[in-house]
Amino acid sequence: EHFSITTLDYDNNQPQETIQTHHYTNGLLTSQGGGYDYSNYFYDSQRNLIAMNYGDDTNNYLYLRFVTVSPTVSYTEILTLPYDNPATQISRRIILEFDANNNVIEAGDDSNFDGVMDAVNQFTYDGNGNLVHAQGFSGVSYDYEYASVVNNFSVIEDNTYGKKERRLISANYYAEIGSTPAFHSRNILQSNFEGAEYDVLSNGLFKREYREFFSGFANSITTTTFFFE
């Protein structure tokens, strides 16, 4: 079981193809790779994601472990070695609290590993699961508005990893309020929508996105096309 995402970038009018292939076992994502990086995913007997190993061709590695504390609270732990290596140690722990729809509503670091967030970032959502307000522990806050067009990339990634699992993997976006996690939302940000043209299907997904980029040196055009069966 697998699927692939093919990306074509044009350099001097020549297409440069990058393929990301995702492999599944019994309906669970177990590996993905292509281009210059790869990830492997590990599960317990209850089909819960418990770890991820990431690497790339420049010898950068990231080892994550995921701990379920309760149905609504989980830890994402950055490790020094793969989770099943007896010598591994925790270098960072992020605590995430979820609502009933697997949206992150609170997040923060646990620097002394006592199971309590050092400082709490809070998140508010609309009825479609779009992040509309992020409140940082320092007082900084962000508000977001969305178009009616569905963010195809977000829907595909929620279905690829699992909604909760995707947020566990990206826990740092919730712990670091400046790295706003609005890209996890179901709909396209209004600011992004206004800079492009979309061919939208009746279900809200877009079939084609056309975007022009302007700079002082040259202009470029990016067209993203999805094919649905």
Side-chain angles (χ1 to χ4, degrees):
E1 299 176 336
H2 72 278
F3 81 91
S4 299
I5 298 175
T6 302
T7 304
L8 290 177
D9 293 318
Y10 285 84
D11 183 12
N12 295 323
N13 293 321
Q14 296 298 315
Q16 308 296 318
E17 184 178 65
T18 301
I19 300 177
Q20 277 279 339
T21 301
H22 300 68
H23 294 274
Y24 294 80
T25 302
N26 297 324
L28 296 174
L29 178 67
T30 52
S31 67
Q32 70 178 77
Y36 67 92
D37 62 355
Y38 65 89
S39 298
N40 295 308
Y41 304 89
F42 305 90
Y43 302 84
D44 64 16
S45 60
Q46 304 301 312
R47 300 173 64 87
N48 296 310
L49 179 67
I50 58 172
M52 182 193 85
N53 296 342
Y54 168 87
D56 65 22
D57 59 7
T58 60
N59 296 319
N60 290 313
Y61 301 100
L62 175 66
Y63 307 111
L64 299 180
R65 178 169 61 196
F66 311 106
V67 180
T68 300
V69 179
S70 73
T72 59
V73 176
S74 294
Y75 301 158
T76 293
E77 296 176 337
I78 300 175
L79 306 178
T80 57
L81 295 167
Y83 81 103
D84 54 354
N85 187 317
T88 194
Q89 296 182 344
I90 304 171
S91 62
R92 183 184 185 188
R93 175 189 286 169
I94 299 170
I95 301 177
L96 300 177
E97 182 176 350
F98 296 86
D99 65 14
N101 296 312
N102 288 329
N103 297 309
V104 177
I105 54 175
E106 290 189 348
D109 279 285
D110 176 15
S111 59
N112 58 0
F113 309 130
D114 64 353
V116 179
M117 299 181 204
D118 303 329
V120 181
N121 298 327
Q122 297 177 316
F123 306 92
T124 305
Y125 300 83
D126 65 15
N128 291 322
N130 296 313
L131 175 65
V132 294
H133 182 76
Q135 180 67 52
F137 69 88
S138 65
V140 65
S141 64
Y142 298 90
D143 293 295
Y144 305 96
E145 295 182 357
Y146 297 86
S148 60
V149 179
V150 174
N151 184 342
N152 292 8
F153 293 102
S154 188
V155 171
I156 289 172
E157 292 204 350
D158 275 357
N159 289 333
T160 298
Y161 300 99
K163 182 176 179 179
K164 188 174 187 178
E165 290 78 4
R166 183 184 175 205
R167 285 145 183 79
L168 288 169
I169 293 167
S170 304
N172 60 297
Y173 287 102
Y174 294 93
E176 302 159 10
I177 195 68
S179 304
T180 52
F183 68 90
H184 280 166
S185 293
R186 177 175 174 78
N187 290 77
I188 292 173
L189 283 165
Q190 184 65 33
S191 57
N192 291 341
F193 174 77
E194 292 172 351
E197 298 177 9
Y198 292 90
D199 294 337
V200 183
L201 302 173
S202 59
N203 59 5
L205 296 168
F206 68 88
K207 182 178 181 181
R208 177 179 172 273
E209 178 193 59
Y210 177 90
R211 187 181 298 275
E212 295 187 43
F213 296 91
F214 302 95
S215 70
F217 302 98
N219 300 335
S220 63
I221 296 173
T222 298
T223 301
T224 303
T225 303
F226 285 84
F227 298 91
F228 299 97
E229 294 182 355

